[in-house]
Amino acid sequence: MEENLYPNGAEVYAKTNPEVKLVVRRYAKRVYYCTEPGKPTQSDKVFYERELMVR
């Protein structure tokens, strides 16, 4: 069973761009697929857990 730190729907920030809010859309195979709120047509941004943080 995979355990993820950030559940689907969690608000997170990329460590490399902390001013942009992201929402976890999906977690699969140790990768987080995130989107920016208000930009649903934009493609997913992909991160490993170590690249994300919460405020």
Side-chain angles (χ1 to χ4, degrees):
M1 181 174 140
E2 294 183 31
E3 292 188 33
N4 54 329
L5 183 60
Y6 308 112
N8 292 351
E11 291 183 356
V12 295
Y13 300 85
K15 289 181 179 177
T16 56
N17 195 4
E19 62 276 355
V20 177
K21 184 191 301 186
L22 301 167
V23 175
V24 175
R25 187 181 67 76
R26 186 170 78 116
Y27 174 78
K29 298 184 181 180
R30 302 170 72 181
V31 175
Y32 290 90
Y33 297 86
C34 303
T35 56
E36 287 185 48
K39 298 183 181 179
T41 58
Q42 191 176 52
S43 24
D44 287 347
K45 296 177 187 231
V46 181
F47 299 96
Y48 289 109
E49 189 172 282
R50 68 180 174 268
E51 298 174 305
L52 296 173
M53 65 180 186
V54 294
R55 289 193 199 174

